[in-house]
Amino acid sequence: MPETQTAAASRRRGRPPEAERARRRDDILDAAVRLFVQDGFEPVTLDRIAAAAHVAKRTIYSYIGDRTEVFLAAVERLRERALQLSPSDGLEQLALAIVLTLHSDDAIGLHRLAIGESHRFPDLAVRFYDDGPLSYIAALRSRLPESDADRAEALFALLLGEPHRQRLLGLRQAPDRAEAAAHASAALSALGMTGTTREGER
């Protein structure tokens, strides 16, 4: 067998390439989010997620872990996408990214689930808060001139605000980019943060 064919066969039998693993992981998380949002946490088993993602159950364990880890991985993926900013992006860009992410259908669905299941799965709620809101607040704080924790929390609260409450209640659609930008700008202006930069970025 030619060397190139042998290498290809070896890859098929062994560990899949990184790009393939990333795609499978996304397929698993996409399927899990759909099921979680539709049915809640308790009824969604790894068997159902595996069937919806067209993968083996052992693949989910290998790539992510148990059901709780799958849920938290979905929360983490949202955060990673929101915080994928370049070093030159400042507070305004981060504020916009947070509004777009946390007012999205997937984020709202996971937030509803965490609230609804918090009494039965308190550890899930704690880890959701640590991996979600606390991480966004930390990112905001890192872009403030004086790393002010209270102001970072206040800004995060405004970036959610009444529109986010209305989203959770199904009274409002997800904002488009222009609406999200207006929301983020209003939140920054309310705290006098428009044009805020960190020391060393001026």
Side-chain angles (χ1 to χ4, degrees):
M1 181 181 293
E3 183 178 348
T4 55
Q5 293 181 1
T6 302
S10 177
R11 285 196 298 271
R12 285 195 296 270
R13 290 195 299 269
R15 183 183 179 89
E18 191 61 34
E20 175 67 12
R21 287 180 61 84
R23 186 189 64 77
R24 286 187 188 176
R25 190 175 190 276
D26 275 338
D27 288 345
I28 292 168
L29 293 180
D30 288 342
V33 169
R34 286 196 302 271
L35 291 172
F36 284 142
V37 170
Q38 173 184 300
D39 297 331
F41 187 72
E42 181 64 22
V44 177
T45 63
L46 285 188
D47 287 322
R48 290 187 62 192
I49 296 172
H54 307 292
V55 299
K57 184 176 178 180
R58 64 178 178 275
T59 301
I60 300 178
Y61 276 116
S62 173
Y63 283 31
I64 304 173
D66 62 16
R67 180 180 56 178
T68 296
E69 296 304 324
V70 171
F71 173 81
L72 293 171
V75 174
E76 181 182 7
R77 184 175 64 164
L78 283 171
R79 185 188 72 240
E80 289 174 347
R81 289 175 175 176
L83 302 184
Q84 279 183 344
L85 302 173
S86 71
S88 62
D89 288 329
L91 186 60
E92 292 83 358
Q93 289 81 9
L94 176 58
L96 170 59
I98 288 175
V99 173
L100 283 171
T101 299
L102 295 189
H103 291 249
S104 69
D105 290 339
D106 283 354
I108 289 297
L110 294 174
H111 197 134
R112 286 173 178 156
L113 187 151
I115 293 171
E117 303 289 356
S118 61
H119 64 294
R120 288 194 297 171
F121 302 97
D123 183 60
L124 185 73
V126 170
R127 295 184 63 186
F128 169 82
Y129 186 74
D130 289 346
D131 290 349
L134 278 185
S135 295
Y136 291 106
I137 292 169
L140 291 168
R141 182 178 179 179
S142 72
R143 281 173 167 78
L144 294 179
E146 299 177 359
S147 187
D148 188 322
D150 291 338
R151 284 171 65 78
E153 288 184 8
L155 176 56
F156 182 72
L158 287 176
L159 292 174
L160 299 184
E162 284 306 304
H164 190 263
R165 192 194 312 273
Q166 292 167 12
R167 289 283 290 130
L168 288 172
L169 293 171
L171 303 177
R172 190 183 187 105
Q173 296 297 313
D176 60 25
R177 189 173 184 84
E179 292 167 337
H183 183 144
S185 179
L188 290 165
S189 295
L191 294 175
M193 293 183 181
T194 301
T196 298
T197 57
R198 291 173 291 184
E199 292 296 332
E201 293 182 345
R202 297 173 183 172

